[in-house]
Amino acid sequence: EDLRAVEVVLTCRVIAAAARAGARRVVLLSTVMVYGFDRPARPIDESFPPRPRHPFNRVALEREQAAQAAARGRKLQEGLMQ
């Protein structure tokens, strides 16, 4: 639960602060591990279904989803780098 508080809650707070400060876009760095250890050897994109198994990777996916929703809710352009 502490990991979630840091990764998800604080990320959303940073996005809210960025919006209040007049930012037009935010970029979130994440991990390809949200797609799991058994992802294919070929390149994948966002259409590949996430399958995080490790607790940190599950929280990373939750952080990505929360950040995307927070950015959309504040009309910020968002980018995700893995």
Side-chain angles (χ1 to χ4, degrees):
E1 192 59 32
D2 289 340
L3 178 63
R4 185 188 178 284
V6 170
E7 295 292 327
V8 177
V9 175
L10 291 182
T11 296
C12 290
R13 287 182 185 172
V14 168
I15 291 171
R20 285 192 305 273
R24 295 188 326 236
R25 69 178 61 103
V26 293
V27 176
L28 176 68
L29 301 178
S30 191
T31 175
V32 71
M33 294 309 296
V34 299
Y35 297 106
F37 291 102
D38 56 349
R39 63 190 181 284
R42 63 177 168 73
I44 58 174
D45 63 17
E46 296 83 7
S47 66
F48 191 81
R51 289 182 272 217
R53 295 203 177 138
H54 187 274
F56 177 81
N57 299 330
R58 286 192 294 271
V59 169
L61 178 61
E62 185 180 353
R63 180 188 62 225
E64 286 180 16
Q65 294 167 338
Q68 290 168 340
R72 279 192 304 267
R74 290 171 174 80
K75 308 252 188 280
L76 293 174
Q77 181 183 24
E78 49 91 14
L80 177 63
M81 298 178 68
Q82 295 176 322

